[in-house]
Each structure stands twice: as C-alpha cells, then as structure tokens.
Amino acid sequence: MKNLKTKSQDTFQYQLKKFKMLIVGSKMAKASFIFLTCISFIFMFYSEKNMLAIISLLIGIAVLVVYIVKFLLLKNIEQKTYTPTSLPSSISKFKAYIRSRKKFELLYISIWVISLIPFLSSYLGSDLKAIIAAIIFITITAVLGILGFKKATKDLEAIETQLQTEFKTLNGL
C-alpha cells in the first residue's frame, strides 16, 4: 500500500508540474499582450502629427487592455498550494478559461492589427502594403493560436484523465 501512495504522490507532482507550466504559458500570453500595448504606445510616439494613426492606435490599445482585463486574468485558478482534491477543480476552471480565450483571442488581436494599418501605411508608404502585412500577421497568429490552444487542451485532458485514473486506483474502483 505504501508503494501505491508513493507512486500516487509522484504522479500527482508530475501532473501538478504540467499544470503549472500551462499557468506560466497563460502568464506569458498576458505579458505578450502588455508588450503589444507598449508597442502601440511607441508607434504613437513615432506617429507625431498623424492624428488618424494616433486615434487608431489608441483604439488598438483600448482593445488590448479590455482583452487583458476580461480574458487574461487567472482569477480563482492559480493557488499557492494544490492538493489532489483541489487540482481537478483548478483544471476545470482553467479549461473554461482556455475556452473563453480561444473564442475571442483572434478577434481582439485582429482588431489590434487593423488599428496598426494607418501607422504602417505611413511607414511603408502604401495602404496596400500595410493591409497585406496585417493579413499576413493575422494569418500567422491564427495558425499559431490554433496550434497552441489544441496543445493546451490536449495537455489538460491528459492531466485530467491521469488524475481520474489515479483516483480510481487509490479508491479501488
């Protein structure tokens, strides 16, 4: 019985480590959006007297801030300590968090990229080049986002399945 509990503890620690890596990934997403906000402020500084670019960039900044506040805060998910009973609850909350982010992330990023078009068009010297650059950026972001969300969902399901199997094993079910 002692060997089973030791194995169970090792499995729990492994799943906890994987879950915490997903939490770190979400924190990195938040940092990325803050970075994009800073980039918009820098672009505003370089826009000087181009009011269309400045207003457009302000709209982009507002969109990013709304997304950060509404979707990237890890409310009630991250805990200081986890137990074998609290981890499944946190995983369920994190899955809901990922679903809500997945639904809207590309939309918010696309709006931000579109807000860059007036600045890019003055920088690149052509509206067409700016639009093409925006479309390319949105496409790359969409593909990478889809792959990232698929991996996160797969990892969460694997952790959840392992925890359920371990729970059944410990309880003799």
PDB file of all heavy atoms in Angstrom, residues 91-116:
ATOM      1  N   ILE A  91      -8.156  22.609 -12.648  1.00  0.00           N
ATOM      2  CA  ILE A  91      -8.069  22.198 -14.054  1.00  0.00           C
ATOM      3  C   ILE A  91      -9.386  22.501 -14.768  1.00  0.00           C
ATOM      4  O   ILE A  91      -9.387  23.007 -15.891  1.00  0.00           O
ATOM      5  CB  ILE A  91      -7.687  20.710 -14.174  1.00  0.00           C
ATOM      6  CG1 ILE A  91      -6.224  20.528 -13.768  1.00  0.00           C
ATOM      7  CG2 ILE A  91      -7.919  20.193 -15.586  1.00  0.00           C
ATOM      8  CD1 ILE A  91      -5.785  19.091 -13.649  1.00  0.00           C
ATOM      9  N   SER A  92     -10.505  22.211 -14.126  1.00  0.00           N
ATOM     10  CA  SER A  92     -11.810  22.514 -14.730  1.00  0.00           C
ATOM     11  C   SER A  92     -11.968  24.005 -14.978  1.00  0.00           C
ATOM     12  O   SER A  92     -12.448  24.427 -16.037  1.00  0.00           O
ATOM     13  CB  SER A  92     -12.945  22.029 -13.832  1.00  0.00           C
ATOM     14  OG  SER A  92     -12.934  20.636 -13.742  1.00  0.00           O
ATOM     15  N   LYS A  93     -11.564  24.813 -14.007  1.00  0.00           N
ATOM     16  CA  LYS A  93     -11.644  26.270 -14.172  1.00  0.00           C
ATOM     17  C   LYS A  93     -10.710  26.730 -15.292  1.00  0.00           C
ATOM     18  O   LYS A  93     -11.062  27.613 -16.073  1.00  0.00           O
ATOM     19  CB  LYS A  93     -11.272  26.972 -12.870  1.00  0.00           C
ATOM     20  CG  LYS A  93     -12.292  26.808 -11.774  1.00  0.00           C
ATOM     21  CD  LYS A  93     -11.808  27.434 -10.491  1.00  0.00           C
ATOM     22  CE  LYS A  93     -12.743  27.146  -9.337  1.00  0.00           C
ATOM     23  NZ  LYS A  93     -12.211  27.668  -8.066  1.00  0.00           N
ATOM     24  N   PHE A  94      -9.539  26.127 -15.380  1.00  0.00           N
ATOM     25  CA  PHE A  94      -8.572  26.510 -16.402  1.00  0.00           C
ATOM     26  C   PHE A  94      -9.089  26.126 -17.791  1.00  0.00           C
ATOM     27  O   PHE A  94      -8.874  26.858 -18.757  1.00  0.00           O
ATOM     28  CB  PHE A  94      -7.216  25.858 -16.123  1.00  0.00           C
ATOM     29  CG  PHE A  94      -6.089  26.435 -16.931  1.00  0.00           C
ATOM     30  CD1 PHE A  94      -5.579  27.692 -16.642  1.00  0.00           C
ATOM     31  CD2 PHE A  94      -5.535  25.722 -17.980  1.00  0.00           C
ATOM     32  CE1 PHE A  94      -4.544  28.228 -17.387  1.00  0.00           C
ATOM     33  CE2 PHE A  94      -4.502  26.247 -18.726  1.00  0.00           C
ATOM     34  CZ  PHE A  94      -4.001  27.507 -18.427  1.00  0.00           C
ATOM     35  N   LYS A  95      -9.778  24.986 -17.894  1.00  0.00           N
ATOM     36  CA  LYS A  95     -10.357  24.583 -19.178  1.00  0.00           C
ATOM     37  C   LYS A  95     -11.400  25.607 -19.637  1.00  0.00           C
ATOM     38  O   LYS A  95     -11.444  25.973 -20.816  1.00  0.00           O
ATOM     39  CB  LYS A  95     -10.982  23.195 -19.073  1.00  0.00           C
ATOM     40  CG  LYS A  95      -9.974  22.073 -19.105  1.00  0.00           C
ATOM     41  CD  LYS A  95     -10.595  20.735 -18.823  1.00  0.00           C
ATOM     42  CE  LYS A  95     -11.401  20.227 -19.975  1.00  0.00           C
ATOM     43  NZ  LYS A  95     -11.872  18.834 -19.761  1.00  0.00           N
ATOM     44  N   ALA A  96     -12.218  26.089 -18.711  1.00  0.00           N
ATOM     45  CA  ALA A  96     -13.212  27.114 -19.049  1.00  0.00           C
ATOM     46  C   ALA A  96     -12.510  28.409 -19.462  1.00  0.00           C
ATOM     47  O   ALA A  96     -12.936  29.081 -20.417  1.00  0.00           O
ATOM     48  CB  ALA A  96     -14.135  27.363 -17.866  1.00  0.00           C
ATOM     49  N   TYR A  97     -11.447  28.735 -18.778  1.00  0.00           N
ATOM     50  CA  TYR A  97     -10.642  29.923 -19.095  1.00  0.00           C
ATOM     51  C   TYR A  97     -10.063  29.819 -20.510  1.00  0.00           C
ATOM     52  O   TYR A  97     -10.133  30.760 -21.296  1.00  0.00           O
ATOM     53  CB  TYR A  97      -9.532  30.044 -18.039  1.00  0.00           C
ATOM     54  CG  TYR A  97      -8.346  30.890 -18.397  1.00  0.00           C
ATOM     55  CD1 TYR A  97      -8.385  32.265 -18.231  1.00  0.00           C
ATOM     56  CD2 TYR A  97      -7.169  30.316 -18.879  1.00  0.00           C
ATOM     57  CE1 TYR A  97      -7.281  33.050 -18.544  1.00  0.00           C
ATOM     58  CE2 TYR A  97      -6.074  31.087 -19.189  1.00  0.00           C
ATOM     59  CZ  TYR A  97      -6.133  32.456 -19.023  1.00  0.00           C
ATOM     60  OH  TYR A  97      -5.037  33.223 -19.330  1.00  0.00           O
ATOM     61  N   ILE A  98      -9.528  28.647 -20.860  1.00  0.00           N
ATOM     62  CA  ILE A  98      -8.956  28.423 -22.193  1.00  0.00           C
ATOM     63  C   ILE A  98     -10.054  28.525 -23.260  1.00  0.00           C
ATOM     64  O   ILE A  98      -9.847  29.118 -24.320  1.00  0.00           O
ATOM     65  CB  ILE A  98      -8.251  27.048 -22.264  1.00  0.00           C
ATOM     66  CG1 ILE A  98      -6.964  27.055 -21.441  1.00  0.00           C
ATOM     67  CG2 ILE A  98      -7.959  26.636 -23.695  1.00  0.00           C
ATOM     68  CD1 ILE A  98      -5.875  27.960 -21.970  1.00  0.00           C
ATOM     69  N   ARG A  99     -11.228  27.947 -22.979  1.00  0.00           N
ATOM     70  CA  ARG A  99     -12.324  28.017 -23.950  1.00  0.00           C
ATOM     71  C   ARG A  99     -12.734  29.468 -24.225  1.00  0.00           C
ATOM     72  O   ARG A  99     -12.962  29.849 -25.368  1.00  0.00           O
ATOM     73  CB  ARG A  99     -13.535  27.221 -23.465  1.00  0.00           C
ATOM     74  CG  ARG A  99     -13.454  25.749 -23.767  1.00  0.00           C
ATOM     75  CD  ARG A  99     -14.792  25.053 -23.545  1.00  0.00           C
ATOM     76  NE  ARG A  99     -15.314  25.165 -22.195  1.00  0.00           N
ATOM     77  CZ  ARG A  99     -14.989  24.347 -21.193  1.00  0.00           C
ATOM     78  NH1 ARG A  99     -14.148  23.359 -21.390  1.00  0.00           N
ATOM     79  NH2 ARG A  99     -15.509  24.524 -20.002  1.00  0.00           N
ATOM     80  N   SER A 100     -12.827  30.276 -23.172  1.00  0.00           N
ATOM     81  CA  SER A 100     -13.234  31.670 -23.378  1.00  0.00           C
ATOM     82  C   SER A 100     -12.155  32.450 -24.116  1.00  0.00           C
ATOM     83  O   SER A 100     -12.465  33.274 -24.973  1.00  0.00           O
ATOM     84  CB  SER A 100     -13.585  32.345 -22.048  1.00  0.00           C
ATOM     85  OG  SER A 100     -12.443  32.514 -21.243  1.00  0.00           O
ATOM     86  N   ARG A 101     -10.894  32.185 -23.808  1.00  0.00           N
ATOM     87  CA  ARG A 101      -9.805  32.847 -24.533  1.00  0.00           C
ATOM     88  C   ARG A 101      -9.795  32.437 -25.994  1.00  0.00           C
ATOM     89  O   ARG A 101      -9.634  33.269 -26.881  1.00  0.00           O
ATOM     90  CB  ARG A 101      -8.453  32.471 -23.921  1.00  0.00           C
ATOM     91  CG  ARG A 101      -8.001  33.393 -22.842  1.00  0.00           C
ATOM     92  CD  ARG A 101      -6.604  33.101 -22.397  1.00  0.00           C
ATOM     93  NE  ARG A 101      -5.657  33.179 -23.499  1.00  0.00           N
ATOM     94  CZ  ARG A 101      -4.446  32.627 -23.464  1.00  0.00           C
ATOM     95  NH1 ARG A 101      -4.056  31.963 -22.414  1.00  0.00           N
ATOM     96  NH2 ARG A 101      -3.642  32.729 -24.485  1.00  0.00           N
ATOM     97  N   LYS A 102      -9.962  31.156 -26.227  1.00  0.00           N
ATOM     98  CA  LYS A 102      -9.914  30.622 -27.589  1.00  0.00           C
ATOM     99  C   LYS A 102     -10.989  31.257 -28.468  1.00  0.00           C
ATOM    100  O   LYS A 102     -10.764  31.529 -29.644  1.00  0.00           O
ATOM    101  CB  LYS A 102     -10.110  29.104 -27.533  1.00  0.00           C
ATOM    102  CG  LYS A 102     -10.024  28.398 -28.852  1.00  0.00           C
ATOM    103  CD  LYS A 102     -10.217  26.902 -28.648  1.00  0.00           C
ATOM    104  CE  LYS A 102     -10.123  26.132 -29.927  1.00  0.00           C
ATOM    105  NZ  LYS A 102     -10.316  24.703 -29.701  1.00  0.00           N
ATOM    106  N   LYS A 103     -12.130  31.523 -27.873  1.00  0.00           N
ATOM    107  CA  LYS A 103     -13.252  32.071 -28.608  1.00  0.00           C
ATOM    108  C   LYS A 103     -12.970  33.494 -29.123  1.00  0.00           C
ATOM    109  O   LYS A 103     -13.405  33.856 -30.200  1.00  0.00           O
ATOM    110  CB  LYS A 103     -14.476  32.114 -27.682  1.00  0.00           C
ATOM    111  CG  LYS A 103     -15.777  31.763 -28.334  1.00  0.00           C
ATOM    112  CD  LYS A 103     -16.919  31.876 -27.354  1.00  0.00           C
ATOM    113  CE  LYS A 103     -17.061  30.632 -26.532  1.00  0.00           C
ATOM    114  NZ  LYS A 103     -18.241  30.640 -25.679  1.00  0.00           N
ATOM    115  N   PHE A 104     -12.239  34.297 -28.340  1.00  0.00           N
ATOM    116  CA  PHE A 104     -12.129  35.713 -28.645  1.00  0.00           C
ATOM    117  C   PHE A 104     -10.722  36.232 -28.942  1.00  0.00           C
ATOM    118  O   PHE A 104     -10.578  37.364 -29.384  1.00  0.00           O
ATOM    119  CB  PHE A 104     -12.711  36.536 -27.487  1.00  0.00           C
ATOM    120  CG  PHE A 104     -14.182  36.321 -27.301  1.00  0.00           C
ATOM    121  CD1 PHE A 104     -14.654  35.549 -26.260  1.00  0.00           C
ATOM    122  CD2 PHE A 104     -15.087  36.875 -28.182  1.00  0.00           C
ATOM    123  CE1 PHE A 104     -16.012  35.345 -26.089  1.00  0.00           C
ATOM    124  CE2 PHE A 104     -16.442  36.675 -28.028  1.00  0.00           C
ATOM    125  CZ  PHE A 104     -16.907  35.904 -26.981  1.00  0.00           C
ATOM    126  N   GLU A 105      -9.696  35.440 -28.689  1.00  0.00           N
ATOM    127  CA  GLU A 105      -8.334  35.952 -28.813  1.00  0.00           C
ATOM    128  C   GLU A 105      -8.017  36.442 -30.225  1.00  0.00           C
ATOM    129  O   GLU A 105      -7.483  37.542 -30.396  1.00  0.00           O
ATOM    130  CB  GLU A 105      -7.320  34.901 -28.366  1.00  0.00           C
ATOM    131  CG  GLU A 105      -5.907  35.445 -28.307  1.00  0.00           C
ATOM    132  CD  GLU A 105      -5.013  34.580 -27.468  1.00  0.00           C
ATOM    133  OE1 GLU A 105      -5.195  34.549 -26.239  1.00  0.00           O
ATOM    134  OE2 GLU A 105      -4.135  33.939 -28.050  1.00  0.00           O
ATOM    135  N   LEU A 106      -8.347  35.667 -31.225  1.00  0.00           N
ATOM    136  CA  LEU A 106      -8.039  36.070 -32.597  1.00  0.00           C
ATOM    137  C   LEU A 106      -8.792  37.350 -32.976  1.00  0.00           C
ATOM    138  O   LEU A 106      -8.250  38.212 -33.663  1.00  0.00           O
ATOM    139  CB  LEU A 106      -8.350  34.948 -33.589  1.00  0.00           C
ATOM    140  CG  LEU A 106      -7.973  35.239 -35.034  1.00  0.00           C
ATOM    141  CD1 LEU A 106      -6.467  35.493 -35.155  1.00  0.00           C
ATOM    142  CD2 LEU A 106      -8.376  34.092 -35.935  1.00  0.00           C
ATOM    143  N   LEU A 107     -10.011  37.487 -32.512  1.00  0.00           N
ATOM    144  CA  LEU A 107     -10.787  38.693 -32.796  1.00  0.00           C
ATOM    145  C   LEU A 107     -10.078  39.932 -32.238  1.00  0.00           C
ATOM    146  O   LEU A 107      -9.896  40.926 -32.947  1.00  0.00           O
ATOM    147  CB  LEU A 107     -12.188  38.574 -32.194  1.00  0.00           C
ATOM    148  CG  LEU A 107     -13.046  39.836 -32.257  1.00  0.00           C
ATOM    149  CD1 LEU A 107     -13.392  40.158 -33.712  1.00  0.00           C
ATOM    150  CD2 LEU A 107     -14.284  39.684 -31.419  1.00  0.00           C
ATOM    151  N   TYR A 108      -9.658  39.874 -30.989  1.00  0.00           N
ATOM    152  CA  TYR A 108      -9.010  41.028 -30.364  1.00  0.00           C
ATOM    153  C   TYR A 108      -7.658  41.337 -31.022  1.00  0.00           C
ATOM    154  O   TYR A 108      -7.332  42.500 -31.249  1.00  0.00           O
ATOM    155  CB  TYR A 108      -8.839  40.803 -28.854  1.00  0.00           C
ATOM    156  CG  TYR A 108     -10.111  41.042 -28.085  1.00  0.00           C
ATOM    157  CD1 TYR A 108     -11.080  40.060 -27.961  1.00  0.00           C
ATOM    158  CD2 TYR A 108     -10.346  42.263 -27.473  1.00  0.00           C
ATOM    159  CE1 TYR A 108     -12.245  40.284 -27.257  1.00  0.00           C
ATOM    160  CE2 TYR A 108     -11.508  42.503 -26.760  1.00  0.00           C
ATOM    161  CZ  TYR A 108     -12.456  41.504 -26.660  1.00  0.00           C
ATOM    162  OH  TYR A 108     -13.614  41.739 -25.966  1.00  0.00           O
ATOM    163  N   ILE A 109      -6.909  40.306 -31.324  1.00  0.00           N
ATOM    164  CA  ILE A 109      -5.622  40.535 -31.992  1.00  0.00           C
ATOM    165  C   ILE A 109      -5.859  41.121 -33.386  1.00  0.00           C
ATOM    166  O   ILE A 109      -5.135  42.028 -33.804  1.00  0.00           O
ATOM    167  CB  ILE A 109      -4.797  39.233 -32.074  1.00  0.00           C
ATOM    168  CG1 ILE A 109      -4.263  38.885 -30.690  1.00  0.00           C
ATOM    169  CG2 ILE A 109      -3.633  39.382 -33.041  1.00  0.00           C
ATOM    170  CD1 ILE A 109      -3.512  37.583 -30.629  1.00  0.00           C
ATOM    171  N   SER A 110      -6.853  40.629 -34.091  1.00  0.00           N
ATOM    172  CA  SER A 110      -7.147  41.146 -35.432  1.00  0.00           C
ATOM    173  C   SER A 110      -7.531  42.623 -35.377  1.00  0.00           C
ATOM    174  O   SER A 110      -7.081  43.422 -36.204  1.00  0.00           O
ATOM    175  CB  SER A 110      -8.267  40.337 -36.080  1.00  0.00           C
ATOM    176  OG  SER A 110      -7.866  39.006 -36.266  1.00  0.00           O
ATOM    177  N   ILE A 111      -8.350  42.988 -34.420  1.00  0.00           N
ATOM    178  CA  ILE A 111      -8.727  44.401 -34.273  1.00  0.00           C
ATOM    179  C   ILE A 111      -7.489  45.241 -33.986  1.00  0.00           C
ATOM    180  O   ILE A 111      -7.310  46.324 -34.548  1.00  0.00           O
ATOM    181  CB  ILE A 111      -9.801  44.580 -33.177  1.00  0.00           C
ATOM    182  CG1 ILE A 111     -11.109  43.926 -33.626  1.00  0.00           C
ATOM    183  CG2 ILE A 111     -10.011  46.060 -32.855  1.00  0.00           C
ATOM    184  CD1 ILE A 111     -12.159  43.825 -32.540  1.00  0.00           C
ATOM    185  N   TRP A 112      -6.608  44.728 -33.115  1.00  0.00           N
ATOM    186  CA  TRP A 112      -5.375  45.462 -32.817  1.00  0.00           C
ATOM    187  C   TRP A 112      -4.533  45.630 -34.079  1.00  0.00           C
ATOM    188  O   TRP A 112      -4.029  46.728 -34.349  1.00  0.00           O
ATOM    189  CB  TRP A 112      -4.566  44.763 -31.725  1.00  0.00           C
ATOM    190  CG  TRP A 112      -3.245  45.406 -31.488  1.00  0.00           C
ATOM    191  CD1 TRP A 112      -3.013  46.593 -30.828  1.00  0.00           C
ATOM    192  CD2 TRP A 112      -1.968  44.943 -31.918  1.00  0.00           C
ATOM    193  NE1 TRP A 112      -1.674  46.878 -30.826  1.00  0.00           N
ATOM    194  CE2 TRP A 112      -1.003  45.869 -31.497  1.00  0.00           C
ATOM    195  CE3 TRP A 112      -1.547  43.820 -32.618  1.00  0.00           C
ATOM    196  CZ2 TRP A 112       0.350  45.714 -31.743  1.00  0.00           C
ATOM    197  CZ3 TRP A 112      -0.190  43.664 -32.868  1.00  0.00           C
ATOM    198  CH2 TRP A 112       0.736  44.604 -32.431  1.00  0.00           C
ATOM    199  N   VAL A 113      -4.371  44.562 -34.849  1.00  0.00           N
ATOM    200  CA  VAL A 113      -3.561  44.635 -36.067  1.00  0.00           C
ATOM    201  C   VAL A 113      -4.187  45.621 -37.054  1.00  0.00           C
ATOM    202  O   VAL A 113      -3.477  46.412 -37.683  1.00  0.00           O
ATOM    203  CB  VAL A 113      -3.379  43.238 -36.706  1.00  0.00           C
ATOM    204  CG1 VAL A 113      -2.741  43.341 -38.072  1.00  0.00           C
ATOM    205  CG2 VAL A 113      -2.535  42.356 -35.803  1.00  0.00           C
ATOM    206  N   ILE A 114      -5.491  45.595 -37.188  1.00  0.00           N
ATOM    207  CA  ILE A 114      -6.169  46.541 -38.078  1.00  0.00           C
ATOM    208  C   ILE A 114      -5.931  47.977 -37.606  1.00  0.00           C
ATOM    209  O   ILE A 114      -5.779  48.886 -38.428  1.00  0.00           O
ATOM    210  CB  ILE A 114      -7.671  46.198 -38.184  1.00  0.00           C
ATOM    211  CG1 ILE A 114      -7.838  44.891 -38.962  1.00  0.00           C
ATOM    212  CG2 ILE A 114      -8.461  47.330 -38.847  1.00  0.00           C
ATOM    213  CD1 ILE A 114      -9.223  44.289 -38.898  1.00  0.00           C
ATOM    214  N   SER A 115      -5.854  48.166 -36.290  1.00  0.00           N
ATOM    215  CA  SER A 115      -5.588  49.515 -35.774  1.00  0.00           C
ATOM    216  C   SER A 115      -4.181  50.000 -36.130  1.00  0.00           C
ATOM    217  O   SER A 115      -3.900  51.194 -36.078  1.00  0.00           O
ATOM    218  CB  SER A 115      -5.794  49.563 -34.256  1.00  0.00           C
ATOM    219  OG  SER A 115      -4.693  49.005 -33.568  1.00  0.00           O
ATOM    220  N   LEU A 116      -3.308  49.085 -36.514  1.00  0.00           N
ATOM    221  CA  LEU A 116      -1.942  49.458 -36.914  1.00  0.00           C
ATOM    222  C   LEU A 116      -1.857  49.927 -38.365  1.00  0.00           C
ATOM    223  O   LEU A 116      -0.861  50.543 -38.756  1.00  0.00           O
ATOM    224  CB  LEU A 116      -0.993  48.269 -36.735  1.00  0.00           C
ATOM    225  CG  LEU A 116      -0.755  47.730 -35.344  1.00  0.00           C
ATOM    226  CD1 LEU A 116       0.145  46.508 -35.404  1.00  0.00           C
ATOM    227  CD2 LEU A 116      -0.171  48.781 -34.439  1.00  0.00           C
TER     228      LEU A 116
END
